[in-house]
Amino acid sequence: MSWQTYVDSYLMYDLGNGRTLSSAAILGHDGSVWAQSPNFPAVKPEEITNVMNAFDDSSQLAQNGLYLSGSKYMVIQGEAGVVIRGKKGSAGVTIKKTSSALVIGLYDEPVAPGECNVVVERLADYLIEQNY
């Protein structure tokens, strides 16, 4: 299965009533794009570096917030070394790290934060089981 299929079929699927994540991507730890939805915003290399560093030491996120494509998200919760969850108004982001990738989902109303968490983390857990 191609990486694009994972994004299209497992991250951007219909959650019910035509609701989907706003955008999603699978990126390598170096920030290389493996696959993404058409409207996934461009992320800066330093933003990915900061995300990767935050998985080792999340204190910087609590102080400075999480930045993706120039947008600042307040980190609301997560699991050290595993998942980062952020919020910006009615929008938010979930990022889960696998051994070689970052699975990223962005959402806005009417999608709830918990729905995004489930979608992103379920795919990332599968990829972890497959040694990705």
Side-chain angles (χ1 to χ4, degrees), residues 6 43 47 58:
Y6 284 113
V43 293
E47 292 172 334
S58 62

Side-chain angles (χ1 to χ4, degrees), residues 35-117:
Q36 64 184 17
S37 62
N39 57 345
F40 189 80
V43 293
K44 300 173 186 168
E46 60 269 18
E47 292 172 334
I48 296 303
T49 299
N50 290 338
V51 166
M52 289 300 297
N53 290 339
F55 279 109
D56 294 327
D57 176 13
S58 62
S59 64
Q60 68 167 341
L61 292 178
Q63 296 171 5
N64 304 323
L66 167 68
Y67 285 86
L68 281 179
S69 64
S71 293
K72 181 179 180 179
Y73 295 85
M74 178 179 64
V75 175
I76 53 173
Q77 65 178 174
E79 294 174 51
V82 179
V83 66
I84 298 169
R85 300 179 189 111
K87 188 110 169 97
K88 178 184 175 189
S90 63
V93 61
T94 303
I95 305 170
K96 184 151 183 180
K97 180 182 171 189
T98 72
S99 60
S100 55
L102 297 172
V103 180
I104 304 172
L106 298 169
Y107 67 91
D108 203 348
E109 289 182 339
V111 174
E115 291 175 305
C116 182
N117 297 344

